[in-house]
Amino acid sequence: LQTNLPGIYAVGDINGKHQYRHKANYEAYIVARNLYETDKPSRAANYDHTPWAIFTHPQIAHVGLTEAQARESGHDILVARHPYSSTAKGYAMGYLPGDADDGFVKLIVDRNSKKLLGLHVIGPHASVLVQPYIHLMEQGLPYTVIDETMVIHPALSEGAAWATYYLK
């Protein structure tokens, strides 16, 4: 985030990267850490897993590759789509199978490495549901970590976790 001028840094829209408020916050944190916590190794920004969300009704959130991008990149992929209505929380919120406004989670996974390549969520709390997957992707962990983890019940996060059962 350091520019070509000593002591001058570029964060936010001005540095030409993604134009998201959360990206600018992330960059500002890195600059402050690098300037004021000199006892720690300097850190660079990583944009490999930059998420976005649209706060409409329904919410839409995304991180990583789309299904088409994953195929075009040469990945042998598995894909799963799992509706909100399949969870107790989704049902309690009034979603029924086949409803036009039933939210869903879509996972795109590399068949060989078992790494999560992309995640899309459409429905209430999409921006919250995408976050744990950003952590998995950033750490390079396989999607199987999700299968091996307990999920609080009833919660919409079950839908995101249970989507792994439907990968094909």
Side-chain angles (χ1 to χ4, degrees):
L1 300 169
Q2 168 105 31
T3 67
N4 61 341
L5 301 172
I8 305 296
Y9 299 85
V11 301
D13 295 355
I14 197 164
N15 71 10
K17 302 291 182 187
H18 310 283
Q19 295 183 346
Y20 304 128
R21 171 60 191 228
H22 57 274
K23 191 272 302 183
N25 290 352
Y26 166 75
E27 292 169 339
Y29 168 77
I30 290 171
V31 169
R33 183 178 180 270
N34 289 345
L35 287 174
Y36 301 111
E37 296 183 25
T38 56
D39 58 318
K40 296 180 180 176
S42 187
R43 186 171 154 198
N46 178 350
Y47 303 103
D48 291 346
H49 304 109
T50 302
W52 56 257
I54 302 172
F55 296 96
T56 54
H57 179 75
Q59 279 188 19
I60 302 169
H62 163 81
V63 63
L65 302 177
T66 64
E67 185 176 347
Q69 289 170 330
R71 289 186 199 285
E72 289 167 9
S73 298
H75 291 279
D76 182 13
I77 63 171
L78 299 170
V79 178
R81 184 176 170 188
H82 197 62
Y84 279 30
S85 61
S86 68
T87 68
K89 178 68 173 180
Y91 180 77
M93 292 172 69
Y95 295 106
L96 298 173
D99 282 354
D101 64 344
D102 190 3
F104 68 89
V105 175
K106 181 177 180 181
L107 299 174
I108 297 101
V109 170
D110 183 278
R111 181 188 304 267
N112 301 314
S113 70
K114 300 190 183 326
K115 301 258 173 88
L116 183 61
L117 300 173
L119 176 78
H120 317 286
V121 184
I122 298 178
H125 312 292
S127 62
V128 174
L129 293 173
V130 76
Q131 189 61 49
Y133 293 89
I134 299 165
H135 297 302
L136 282 176
M137 293 170 77
E138 190 64 29
Q139 294 301 310
L141 297 171
Y143 78 88
T144 52
V145 169
I146 300 162
D147 291 333
E148 299 163 1
T149 306
M150 186 184 307
V151 181
I152 196 165
H153 175 81
L156 287 176
S157 55
E158 289 177 314
W162 294 347
T164 60
Y165 300 138
Y166 301 98
L167 286 167
K168 57 181 173 179

